[in-house]
Amino acid sequence: MTENILIERPADYVGLIRLNRPKQLNALNQATFDELHAALIEFAADDTVRVVILTGNEKAFAAGSDITEMQDKSAVDMLDYGEHRMQQWDYLRTYPKPLIAAVSGWCLGGGNELAMACDMIVASETAKFGQPEISLAIMPGAGGTQRLARAVGKMLAMEMVLAGRVLSAYEAESYGLVNKVVPLELYLEKAIELGQKVATQAPVATRLAKEAILKAFELALDDGLVFERRSFYTLFSTEDKQEGFSAYLAKRPPTWKGQ
Ligand code: DAK
């Protein structure tokens, strides 16, 4: 049983985790993060799930980490609290299956960091993205400065982090922070549709391709190209590669084994 999240299976091979603290605009307290972490581990081990969607509700994806929970914490307290939480963030960073954030309403602070840790973002027209931590005299601590700068560039990242600028959904789309913006009533449906598209591909190829794209943010081009090539060759040893090529040549749809 979970108290702060809901777990759903909206379509074949698609798992969905819904943040569910509507009264607090889905502020991410530790209990929510623990439940989210456990649900992700379960989906990772489940062969009937190939893609995971994270969402909130129409009003908020998540308005940040829970301010009440951090209110009295000192730097030393944060070492424990933060270390535990950082391990969970690191797990997200290396998550083996594609993650899609379906965002509507507030997507702030740790909430925006959570969305950016996903692999794709589908936003409703009402989504608002920001890193307002500076107004609490802190700063992003779960990858916000790094991922935002990589997504939208230095100048805008500076404005968002230092001046608290909040982006509308269409601004976020124009700066490359989100994949697409859709009408409010469609944001979840479209995220699931995108999830289904990804879930119809061969699972091992999907996993290695995701890993290779993420390496682009960590490695020099030479090393990234070597990493890509090795992953590419590895896929030629999978049963699914034989199936993919055979199905193409026989003009029939492939059936993946994930092997
Ligand atoms: N935490 C706790 N409660 C929150 C919250 C938050 N982040 N955001 C909203 N709420 C609560 C409000 O307190 C209010 O509760 P009640 O007063 O009804 O009890 C309820 O949700 C509804 O909010 P509002 O009444 O304020 O609603 P409005 O529509 O007027 O305003 C707002 C919406 C999103 C503009 C406003 O609620 C707001 O400014 N919220 C705070 C946004 C914020 O500053 N977020 C950044 C938080 S700091 C870490 C890594 C990262 C982080 C932490 C640790 N480690 C690695 C350990 C991240 C830190 C952050 O995210």
Side-chain angles (χ1 to χ4, degrees):
M1 280 302 290
T2 54
E3 275 180 30
N4 303 290
I5 62 167
L6 299 172
I7 298 170
E8 300 165 30
R9 307 244 183 175
D12 284 351
Y13 295 114
V14 178
L16 184 145
I17 302 171
R18 189 189 289 276
L19 303 170
N20 191 35
R21 299 183 78 213
K23 283 191 191 137
Q24 293 84 11
L25 301 181
N26 289 332
L28 298 161
N29 61 359
Q30 191 53 55
T32 305
F33 235 88
D34 288 343
E35 289 180 14
L36 172 63
H37 186 66
L40 285 169
I41 290 176
E42 227 167 90
F43 278 153
D46 184 341
D47 285 345
T48 68
V49 172
R50 292 181 182 166
V51 174
V52 179
I53 294 175
L54 301 190
T55 194
N57 55 48
E58 289 188 359
K59 209 166 165 210
F61 177 72
S65 283
D66 194 308
I67 294 171
T68 55
E69 200 173 73
M70 290 183 293
Q71 182 185 10
D72 296 323
K73 293 213 186 301
S74 68
V76 176
D77 297 334
M78 285 303 279
L79 279 177
D80 287 335
Y81 174 80
E83 273 320 299
H84 177 60
R85 183 85 73 102
M86 272 333 288
Q87 285 167 10
Q88 296 176 330
W89 282 103
D90 280 345
Y91 179 64
L92 259 176
R93 188 164 64 84
T94 55
Y95 197 65
K97 299 182 180 181
L99 292 166
I100 299 175
V103 175
S104 181
W106 296 110
C107 185
L108 300 177
N112 194 40
E113 290 174 309
L114 181 59
M116 289 192 296
C118 292
D119 303 307
M120 288 173 266
I121 301 178
V122 175
S124 85
E125 284 173 331
T126 63
K128 293 176 276 292
F129 299 85
Q131 298 288 161
E133 291 91 336
I134 200 82
S135 66
L136 299 166
I138 58 170
M139 60 179 274
T145 58
Q146 304 305 298
R147 291 202 177 93
L148 196 59
R150 283 168 164 81
V152 304
K154 172 187 152 185
M155 302 300 170
L156 184 56
M158 287 286 184
E159 193 179 345
M160 291 173 74
V161 171
L162 303 185
R165 175 166 168 195
V166 173
L167 299 186
S168 70
Y170 286 113
E171 285 175 321
E173 185 184 38
S174 73
Y175 293 119
L177 184 59
V178 309
N179 292 71
K180 61 175 131 192
V181 180
V182 299
L184 175 61
E185 61 279 11
L186 292 182
Y187 79 98
L188 192 52
E189 194 180 314
K190 291 293 173 193
I192 293 167
E193 234 174 73
L194 177 60
Q196 284 177 294
K197 228 171 251 172
V198 175
T200 57
Q201 315 304 327
V204 182
T206 300
R207 179 174 181 166
L208 296 193
K210 164 177 166 161
E211 221 173 274
I213 292 173
L214 290 177
K215 287 288 179 207
F217 299 100
E218 291 171 17
L219 300 178
L221 184 59
D222 263 0
D223 298 330
L225 291 172
V226 170
F227 186 90
E228 178 192 82
R229 211 167 312 138
R230 294 214 170 121
S231 302
F232 175 70
Y233 293 150
T234 300
L235 289 173
F236 280 69
S237 67
T238 62
E239 291 178 34
D240 282 347
K241 177 260 161 184
Q242 285 314 120
E243 168 65 5
F245 278 61
S246 303
Y248 174 80
L249 293 172
K251 300 187 191 304
R252 62 168 174 81
T255 309
W256 308 126
K257 286 189 184 159
Q259 298 291 322

